[in-house]
Amino acid sequence: MIKFFRKIRQNLLSEGKTGKYMKYAIGEIILVVIGILIALQINNWNDKRIKQKKESNFITQIHQEFLLNRIQLDSVGYYHLKGYKNAEKTLSMMPIDIENVNLDSLSNYIEGTFQNWTFNPQQSAINSLSSTSSFDIISNNELKMLLQNWNELVSDYQEEEQTSKAYSHNYYLPYLRQNISFINYEKSDEIILKHGKIDLNFLNDLEFENLVHNRKAFFKDIMNPRGVSEFQEVSKTIDRIIELTTSE
């Protein structure tokens, strides 16, 4: 093709048709420029298609991960709230009438304050975007912002869970192990108050009351069932990310 155009130019020059040569040369330049522009546009289309495909793959992966995160957070929240309510029920019975109290019910309430659950979300897609600085591939600005802030939000929330867990392991459970029978706990998740070696007077000790109160306070910090909490912020963020990544 290049030889064909060169031959035309040479013929025009040899015939002394300078004017036609100039017009032809300009036309040829215009054709070259148009060809370059078309090639650039095709390349842009290809780049855009590749980027959209990559974004679509990330969106799908994020959607699936946050569906799992929704299930996990619901489970974790259930046990945190259960712990809060059982601590509240235990405190509502104080001072405890040791002679007449239903020990089975009280055992269930106290046992219900033991759980220490932590939220460990699926986030490989977000981590991949973060490690490669690829958040700009997400075209929805709201979704991009939520994903960029996700790790910090989860970290802040997990601090409350870890604080509650540390209190339980360092203070709450060691005290109870000194006063309650855990013989059947590993098999049936049941503690025993009806035991010959147990002095039930500990149930009315100020230390026990304070420990249960603090346990309730830590559960409240996590869930805050009557107000705003980071748990609720995590929950709302999960729901919004699922909504924004749902295919229409």
Side-chain angles (χ1 to χ4, degrees):
M1 183 62 71
I2 295 176
K3 291 182 179 180
F4 174 75
F5 287 134
R6 185 185 298 124
K7 186 175 182 180
I8 293 176
R9 292 197 302 272
Q10 290 174 347
N11 289 338
L12 290 173
L13 286 174
S14 63
E15 294 174 3
K17 299 178 180 180
T18 306
K20 289 185 177 181
Y21 172 80
M22 292 300 296
K23 291 178 181 179
Y24 174 80
I26 293 173
E28 186 175 333
I29 292 172
I30 292 173
L31 288 175
V32 171
V33 171
I34 291 174
I36 292 173
L37 292 176
I38 291 174
L40 289 174
Q41 185 61 48
I42 292 174
N43 187 60
N44 288 337
W45 286 338
N46 286 334
D47 287 345
K48 185 177 181 180
R49 179 179 57 82
I50 293 171
K51 182 179 179 181
Q52 288 175 338
K53 178 65 175 177
K54 189 175 181 180
E55 180 187 14
S56 178
N57 290 337
F58 271 117
I59 293 296
T60 299
Q61 187 177 354
I62 290 168
H63 183 76
Q64 295 300 321
E65 288 180 353
F66 274 80
L67 288 176
L68 295 175
N69 291 342
R70 174 76 272 166
I71 294 172
Q72 185 192 161
L73 188 68
D74 286 343
S75 177
V76 169
Y78 167 81
Y79 285 104
H80 287 324
L81 191 58
K82 176 184 176 183
Y84 173 85
K85 290 182 177 179
N86 278 284
E88 195 170 46
K89 290 176 182 177
T90 303
L91 290 170
S92 71
M93 299 176 69
M94 295 181 178
I96 296 172
D97 183 351
I98 297 174
E99 297 298 327
N100 298 307
V101 67
N102 186 322
L103 292 178
D104 290 333
S105 295
L106 183 58
S107 295
N108 288 333
Y109 295 156
I110 296 174
E111 181 275 323
T113 64
F114 287 178
Q115 284 84 3
N116 290 289
W117 293 76
T118 54
F119 178 57
N120 298 299
Q122 300 284 327
Q123 50 191 45
S124 59
I126 292 180
N127 290 340
S128 179
L129 288 171
S130 179
S131 64
T132 58
S133 301
S134 300
F135 280 110
D136 285 341
I137 200 172
I138 304 299
S139 56
N140 185 297
N141 289 329
E142 181 186 0
L143 177 60
K144 184 192 303 183
M145 181 188 68
L146 292 174
L147 296 178
Q148 288 174 325
N149 295 335
W150 172 252
N151 283 338
E152 183 177 356
L153 177 62
V154 171
S155 178
D156 289 342
Y157 166 69
Q158 287 175 331
E159 284 183 11
E160 295 182 347
E161 288 186 331
Q162 293 302 324
T163 301
S164 177
K165 184 177 182 179
Y167 171 80
S168 176
H169 285 179
N170 294 332
Y171 301 101
Y172 190 65
L173 291 178
Y175 175 85
L176 292 178
R177 288 193 183 98
Q178 293 178 355
N179 294 282
I180 293 176
S181 174
F182 282 76
I183 293 175
N184 292 332
Y185 187 71
E186 291 185 2
K187 296 180 180 180
S188 60
D189 288 343
E190 293 181 356
I191 60 172
I192 298 176
L193 290 176
K194 296 177 181 179
H195 193 287
K197 296 181 179 180
I198 295 178
D199 181 1
L200 293 177
N201 286 311
F202 86 91
L203 294 171
N204 284 317
D205 285 348
L206 181 60
E207 182 177 5
F208 175 65
E209 183 175 352
N210 286 336
L211 286 168
V212 176
H213 180 274
N214 290 340
R215 188 69 172 134
K216 175 189 171 184
F218 281 114
F219 282 128
K220 183 178 180 180
D221 286 342
I222 295 173
M223 298 298 297
N224 197 5
R226 299 183 179 90
V228 178
S229 67
E230 287 180 337
F231 176 90
Q232 292 165 344
E233 290 301 314
V234 171
S235 181
K236 288 192 297 184
T237 298
I238 289 176
D239 288 341
R240 186 56 179 157
I241 289 175
I242 290 174
E243 182 180 355
L244 292 173
T245 55
T246 299
S247 299
E248 298 183 0

